[in-house]
């Protein structure tokens, strides 16, 4: 892990294949720790992690808090509805309040794109040592979700050795509301960064044609791509074209709260054209896993029967993998700050 150089974790566009490998390796090690008995590791003892979620969350927030506790950090959470935001306090001043209380890590979610990035820049400008971890910003990025999806897929393809190589050359189909999905954007960087080919599938209103070129230009703010050879991205309009030969299928929540205009005729029509079911998955030609970041609109993105079939649907496995992935992220950020490589040795034995 000595090559880890990210101070803040804001997106996956700046991750190299070695970065993905480091996260997968460490998360796999955390994942294999016993889940009963003594569950805590001392790695973040004396550290303070604050979860500043300005937008609702069930999975991400709980998972980060559990991950921080499993590493023995102190955890503070913030609830917008009962906070001084209602008195007009700004996001930056809210964050600075937690920094003043000694927060080492701020996990930040906001409905507006770039709020975590802006906070990270402000903290750097102010000379604060606190680091920012993006818990999801607007339509832009959800790095920890992209990484837990990566671990889930890598483990599906090679449970013993879930490395980026496990994904190389695989065909991953992402279906649905790509336009409003920060999960899709993070997955595009992560999956192509590990050499997988991604087929995006959805109606024009939810999947603009230019997504086919999403990873072609160097990531924003970088002069060159940190990944030498990415997988390809293609766009298909019909599942009948997208699914044959797929190795895995990810479907995304229709984000009605982010749709500013009528983009769909009806949910029934959407389900008929893009909803996943056991029957429809036969188009893949063999049994393949289905992922969904949650929360799921039952009967819209997939049938209830498929959602409740753990032999195909990996939604609960994704949630389980979220904890070790977030432990890995918190651990690496703390280790980068204090070069605490010695405690890494103690968890590997
Ligand atoms: N996948 C995801 O981000 O879920 P939450 O909104 O519940 O955190």
């Amino acid at each position: 892990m000595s090559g880890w150089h990210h101070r803040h974790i804001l997106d996956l566009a700046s991750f190299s294949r070695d970065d993905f490998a480091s996260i997968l390796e460490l998360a796999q090690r955390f994942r294999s720790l016993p889940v009963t008995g003594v569950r805590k590791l001392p790695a973040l003892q004396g550290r303070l992690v604050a979860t500043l979620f300005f937008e609702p969350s069930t999975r991400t927030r709980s998972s980060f808090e559990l991950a921080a506790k499993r590493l023995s950090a102190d955890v503070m959470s913030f609830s917008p509805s009962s906070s001084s935001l209602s008195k007009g306090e700004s996001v930056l001043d809210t964050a600075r309040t937690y920094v003043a209380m000694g927060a080492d890590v701020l996990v930040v979610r906001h409905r507006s794109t770039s709020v975590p990035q802006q906070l990270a820049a402000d903290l750097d400008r102010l000379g604060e040592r606190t680091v920012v971890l993006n818990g999801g910003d607007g339509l832009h990025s959800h790095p920890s979700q992209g990484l837990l999806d990566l671990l889930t897929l890598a483990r599906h393809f090679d449970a013993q050795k879930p490395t980026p190589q496990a994904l190389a050359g695989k065909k991953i189909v992402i279906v649905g509301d790509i336009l409003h999905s920060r999960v899709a954007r993070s997955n595009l960087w992560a999956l192509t960064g590990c050499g997988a080919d991604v087929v995006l599938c959805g109606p024009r209103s939810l999947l603009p044609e230019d997504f086919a070129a999403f990873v072609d230009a160097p990531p924003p703010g970088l002069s060159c791509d940190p990944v030498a050879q990415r997988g390809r991205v293609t766009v298909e309009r019909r599942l009948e074209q997208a699914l044959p030969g797929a190795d895995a299928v990810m479907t995304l929540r229709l984000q009605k709260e982010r749709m500013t205009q009528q983009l769909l005729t009806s949910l029934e029509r959407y389900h008929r054209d893009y909803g996943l079911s056991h029957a429809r998955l036969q188009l893949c030609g063999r049994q393949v896993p289905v992922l969904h970041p949650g929360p799921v609109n039952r009967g819209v993105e997939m049938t209830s029967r498929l959602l409740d079939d753990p032999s195909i649907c990996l939604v609960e496995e994704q949630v389980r993998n979220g904890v070790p992935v977030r432990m890995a992220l918190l651990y690496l950020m703390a280790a980068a700050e204090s070069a605490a490589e010695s405690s890494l040795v103690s968890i590997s034995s």
Side-chain angles (χ1 to χ4, degrees), residues 56-60 109 142 145 293-295:
S57 165
T58 296
R59 291 151 202 78
T60 312
R109 170 176 286 194
H142 192 344
Q145 180 72 45

Side-chain angles (χ1 to χ4, degrees), residues 53 55-62 109 135-136 142 145 148 182-183 253 292-295 326:
F53 277 53
E55 186 190 75
S57 165
T58 296
R59 291 151 202 78
T60 312
R61 178 176 175 156
S62 312
R109 170 176 286 194
H142 192 344
Q145 180 72 45
L148 75 88
R182 55 194 177 209
V183 175
R253 184 172 69 88
H292 188 306
R326 289 170 175 123

